[in-house]
């Protein structure tokens, strides 16, 4: 199934994007510098970004055609969610061939052209790597099933006999993150009921057994395949899940979902995973241009997250504690402090993220009372957008690297009223799963025009794999471009300023200044200048001394005779 670029036609690897000065140190903090330490990385969800051929599904040529938009937006790198050969049981996070592009998204030549064009525009490309599990259609798993008990391929996954008199009960009590048991029973080639296999996610996503040396060998080879293609890094899916506790012990609790992310589990955040990342780091370091890896690691604490980014492991880890924080000054200050403090001893940059393809968009989270990252209510749209814009300016003023999710620059809300029959999230169909409503943040982007799919596809009136709300005509890139009050122009200004003012992203510390309740005031200094950020998370305006000259504000703001009023739910950047 692997799509090989015939040797003769195989393009030479796309040259890495121009590297930031290597081996230099930040003037203030003494920390090593690298392009990724303060990079703004934009997540493209390929099926929902841009559809070049009008089949209703976004694709790689579509992404390629929109790269100038991303360059103009001012981001440093693009992370692409999976576009590999996949039956799409979990929107591509079920990979059948790690070295092939799914025909739905294009070809390897399209991937190559995308990487080259991105580099020519000064954008880096990060691809998703899914090492915890494959698709059940992966050749190894298919052979393991076909060859039956005793197949050597079974040792690359977790096949186990069932419990009970006839093996009719699962081997242990683990539950799938998507709901239901984490085990599915197989049928032997002769039709009799067989062993069970482990899948922490959907049954179509069997977990690899990383104790088997062939699994590690294969993934080191996959890393090299994409590094040779010229990618600048990897986002590592379920980075905390690869190693399971020996013997796969029972959890002994039926509240698994409550424990997730709050406790060390026998299938998550086991210390053995770190040895894997040490071998990967050595491979990444062999390549020129500072290739990086970012861990999707849900751990109980930021301190445990820091283990993934020790100097000889991965470069960054998503800060899900930050993503899960409510719009509350005190809570935000605490998570900012603990995140920075956790990363300092390992010399890794902190990262910040507000939205991604697995959680309710922050414009909708903040439109509702605090309630986790899966919100099903539309909430107060105006309030949500106002807070979302303020939250973004706060995030982009913090030291470290920030992740943006496609469409947040348009202020898109979640689509909370998708009809059940159009939903595709596998966890929606498995009762009691953790997620279930992730389609709401995956609706294709509105680019232009009055009629759906609003420029997502080439033809007005053409299809889109999820329907877009009619009101998105007013949120398109075309409508927002040039409107100084639009969210798109706010992002563009913020990202331009972030490049001009190194104090915004560089370093490892913020200096907190005195502030009234519900308000955060912090200072950021660099050799190139100083800067203050004021954030009012409260519902009332707050009068205060103006710290300097206004650079940018999430909502209308003025400073008169040294005084200013911080509007409710707003952020202002000040040059001082
Ligand atoms: C995390 C991904 O972000 C999510 O979309 C996916 O369902 C799970 N990992 C399983 O791969």
């Amino acid at each position: 199934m692997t799509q090989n670029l015939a040797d003769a036609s195989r393009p030479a690897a796309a040259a890495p994007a121009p590297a930031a000065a290597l081996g230099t140190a930040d003037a203030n903090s003494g920390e090593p510098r690298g392009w990724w330490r303060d990079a703004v990385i934009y997540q493209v969800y390929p099926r929902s970004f841009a559809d070049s051929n009008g089949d209703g599904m976004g694709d790689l040529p579509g992404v390629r055609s929109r790269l100038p938009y991303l360059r103009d937006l001012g981001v440093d790198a693009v992370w692409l969610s999976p576009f590999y050969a996949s039956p799409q049981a979990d929107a591509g996070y079920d990979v059948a061939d790690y070295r092939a592009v799914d025909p739905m998204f294009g070809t390897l030549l399209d991937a190559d052209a995308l990487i080259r064009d991105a580099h020519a525009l000064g954008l880096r490309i990060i691809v998703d790597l899914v090492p915890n599990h494959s698709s059940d259609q992966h050749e190894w798993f298919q052979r393991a099933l076909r060859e039956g008990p005793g197949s050597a391929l079974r040792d690359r996954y977790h096949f186990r006999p069932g419990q009970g008199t006839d093996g009719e009960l699962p081997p242990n009590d683990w539950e799938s993150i998507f709901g239901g048991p984490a085990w599915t029973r197989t049928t032997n080639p002769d039709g009799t009921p067989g062993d069970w296999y482990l899948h922490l996610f959907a049954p179509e996503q069997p977990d690899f057994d990383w104790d088997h040396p062939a699994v590690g060998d294969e993934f080191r080879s996959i890393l090299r395949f994409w590094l040779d293609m010229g990618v600048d890094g990897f986002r590592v899916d379920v980075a905390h899940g690869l190693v399971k506790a020996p013997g796969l012990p029972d959890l002994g609790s039926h509240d698994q979902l409550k424990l997730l992310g709050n406790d060390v589990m026998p299938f998550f955040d086991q210390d053995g995973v770190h040895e894997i990342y040490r071998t990967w780091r050595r491979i990444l370091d062999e390549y020129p241009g500072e290739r990086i890896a970012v861990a999707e690691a849900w751990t109980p604490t930021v301190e445990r997250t820091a283990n993934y980014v020790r100097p000889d492991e991965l470069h960054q880890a998503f800060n899900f504690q930050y993503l899960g924080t409510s719009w509350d000054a005190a809570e935000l200050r605490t998570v900012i402090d603990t995140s920075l403090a956790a990363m300092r001893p390992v010399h890794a940059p902190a990262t910040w993220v507000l939205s991604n393809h697995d959680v309710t968009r922050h414009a909708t989270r903040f439109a509702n009372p605090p309630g986790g990252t899966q919100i099903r209510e539309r909430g107060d749209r105006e309030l949500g957008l106002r807070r979302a814009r303020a939250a973004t300016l706060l995030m982009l003023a913090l030291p470290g690297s920030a992740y943006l999710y496609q469409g947040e620059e348009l202020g898109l809300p979640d689509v909370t009223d998708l009809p059940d029959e159009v939903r595709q999230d596998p966890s929606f169909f498995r009762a009691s799963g953790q997620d279930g409503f992730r389609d709401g943040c995956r609706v294709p982007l509105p680019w232009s025009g009055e009629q759906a799919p609003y420029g997502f596809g080439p033809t007005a009136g053409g299809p889109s794999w999820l329907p877009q709300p009619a009101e998105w005509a007013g949120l398109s890139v075309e409508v927002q471009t040039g409107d100084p009050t639009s969210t798109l122009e706010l992002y563009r200004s913020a990202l331009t300023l972030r490049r001009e003012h190194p104090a915004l992203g560089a370093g490892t510390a913020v200096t907190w200044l005195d502030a009234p309740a519900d308000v955060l005031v912090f200072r950021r200094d660099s050799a190139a200048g100083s800067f203050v950020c004021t954030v009012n998370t409260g519902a009332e305006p707050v009068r205060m001394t103006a710290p300097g000259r206004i650079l940018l504000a999430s909502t209308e703001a003025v400073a008169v005779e040294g005084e200013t009023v911080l509007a409710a739910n707003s952020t202002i950047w000040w040059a001082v």
Side-chain angles (χ1 to χ4, degrees):
M1 192 191 258
T2 298
Q3 278 171 23
N4 275 321
L5 295 169
D7 277 341
S9 65
R10 185 179 172 112
L22 295 183
T24 55
D26 180 82
N28 285 325
S29 62
E31 287 289 318
R33 282 200 60 77
W35 70 267
W36 44 279
R37 289 190 171 268
D38 58 0
V40 177
I41 301 176
Y42 181 101
Q43 181 188 357
V44 163
Y45 195 63
R47 51 167 53 213
S48 303
F49 192 67
D51 167 19
S52 72
N53 60 4
D55 64 357
M57 187 62 72
D59 46 42
L60 296 186
V63 179
R64 190 179 165 207
S65 72
R66 298 291 186 182
L67 288 173
Y69 166 79
L70 296 176
R71 189 261 327 264
D72 294 346
L73 183 60
V75 301
D76 300 297
V78 177
W79 148 36
L80 295 155
S81 279
F83 49 76
Y84 313 110
S86 162
Q88 304 289 319
D90 184 20
Y93 283 95
D94 49 319
V95 181
D97 186 341
Y98 290 85
R99 298 179 184 82
V101 172
D102 197 282
M104 159 195 295
F105 295 122
T107 64
L108 268 186
L109 287 169
D110 291 326
D112 178 68
L114 171 58
I115 296 166
R116 284 172 190 277
D117 279 11
H119 287 174
L121 292 169
L123 292 166
R124 288 180 162 87
I125 293 288
I126 292 173
V127 294
D128 226 302
L129 186 72
V130 190
N132 179 67
H133 46 264
S134 69
S135 158
D136 63 349
Q137 301 305 309
H138 189 282
E139 191 195 334
W140 288 2
F141 192 75
Q142 283 297 308
R143 275 185 55 196
L145 288 183
R146 243 187 355 257
E147 293 172 5
S151 163
L153 273 299
R154 292 200 169 201
D155 299 342
R156 299 179 187 190
Y157 295 92
H158 296 277
F159 279 84
R160 294 284 185 282
Q163 304 190 81
T165 41
D166 296 313
E168 72 282 9
L169 298 172
N172 73 14
D173 65 358
W174 297 359
E175 287 167 37
S176 152
I177 312 303
F178 290 163
W183 297 90
T184 290
R185 193 168 194 184
T186 61
T187 304
N188 290 323
D190 66 4
T192 55
D195 286 344
W196 298 67
Y197 68 89
L198 176 70
H199 52 87
L200 290 181
F201 294 89
E204 296 88 349
Q205 294 167 294
D207 280 49
F208 285 116
D209 185 346
W210 272 82
D211 284 341
H212 195 293
V215 175
D217 289 348
E218 175 66 352
F219 274 92
R220 286 190 291 276
S221 155
I222 292 165
L223 281 177
R224 288 186 186 282
F225 178 88
W226 288 102
L227 289 167
D228 289 341
M229 285 275 289
V231 303
D232 301 283
F234 300 91
R235 175 264 190 192
V236 183
D237 189 60
V238 198
H240 54 313
L242 278 46
V243 171
K244 276 71 180 177
L248 311 183
D250 273 342
L251 197 60
S253 159
H254 293 289
D255 256 348
Q256 180 181 303
L257 288 178
K258 280 203 190 115
L259 292 178
L260 278 178
N262 299 315
D263 230 324
V264 176
M265 317 279 278
F267 45 81
F268 278 161
D269 200 25
Q270 294 289 308
D271 289 335
V273 293
H274 299 291
E275 195 41 51
I276 297 169
Y277 300 131
R278 289 191 190 101
T279 66
W280 291 11
R281 179 59 180 256
R282 289 196 286 272
I283 293 174
L284 293 165
D285 285 349
E286 282 174 27
Y287 285 78
E290 288 187 279
R291 318 288 174 103
I292 68 156
V294 50
E296 188 222 17
W298 294 83
T299 67
T301 61
V302 280
E303 288 75 19
R304 286 202 67 91
T305 303
N307 289 338
Y308 291 76
V309 290
R310 288 176 282 196
D312 58 348
E313 298 194 36
L314 306 180
H315 297 72
Q316 296 183 342
F318 290 117
N319 188 343
F320 293 121
Q321 279 83 7
Y322 186 71
L323 187 149
T325 303
S326 322
W327 182 239
D328 176 275
E331 287 180 34
L332 285 164
R333 178 168 170 166
T334 301
V335 73
I336 291 167
D337 279 342
T338 53
S339 303
L340 292 169
M343 294 300 144
R344 230 168 263 133
V346 292
H347 304 289
T351 68
W352 315 100
V353 60
L354 290 166
S355 285
N356 65 34
H357 66 292
D358 288 330
V359 299
T360 304
R361 286 180 177 278
H362 62 284
T364 297
R365 292 205 311 277
F366 295 150
N368 283 282
T373 55
Q374 302 287 323
I375 304 286
R376 295 172 198 177
E377 306 300 324
R378 179 187 164 94
D380 178 340
R381 279 273 168 90
E382 203 185 315
L383 177 66
L385 180 59
R386 193 179 166 91
R387 288 174 169 174
R389 290 166 55 107
T392 296
L393 286 199
L394 163 59
M395 173 172 83
L396 291 176
L398 295 173
S401 181
Y403 280 81
L404 308 180
Y405 175 52
Q406 66 175 42
E408 68 171 79
E409 77 277 20
L410 304 176
L412 293 187
D414 246 50
V415 181
T416 47
D417 58 356
L418 283 172
D420 288 356
E421 58 275 16
V422 304
R423 290 185 185 277
Q424 295 198 14
D425 181 352
S427 53
F428 178 75
F429 302 97
R430 290 172 68 84
S432 79
Q434 169 178 252
D435 303 323
F437 289 84
R438 297 179 299 170
D439 289 310
C441 65
R442 298 174 177 180
V443 172
L445 293 194
W447 291 93
S448 59
E450 295 292 313
Q451 199 185 346
Y454 309 115
F456 164 67
T459 322
S464 65
W465 73 278
L466 285 173
Q468 302 150 300
E471 67 216 30
W472 281 21
L475 294 176
S476 72
V477 171
E478 182 182 53
V479 166
Q480 297 200 37
T481 297
D483 172 358
T485 66
S486 74
T487 302
L488 178 56
E489 293 299 347
L490 179 73
Y491 271 71
R492 285 180 173 152
S493 302
L495 294 171
T496 304
L497 282 168
R498 199 176 143 106
R499 290 198 162 176
E500 287 166 5
H501 292 256
L504 276 159
T508 58
V510 301
T511 308
W512 297 106
L513 305 178
D514 285 345
D518 294 333
V519 174
L520 297 175
V521 182
F522 60 88
R523 188 181 166 105
R524 309 267 292 110
D525 297 297
S526 85
S530 295
F531 166 91
V532 164
C533 181
T534 53
V535 185
N536 181 3
T537 63
E540 300 300 329
V542 174
R543 182 173 293 277
M544 64 176 278
T545 307
R549 177 175 57 84
I550 294 177
L551 281 173
L552 188 64
S554 65
T555 188
E556 221 165 89
V558 283
V560 181
E561 292 175 2
E563 281 244 308
T564 190
V565 174
L566 304 180
N569 298 304
S570 75
T571 296
I572 306 176
W573 289 358
W574 306 84
V576 297

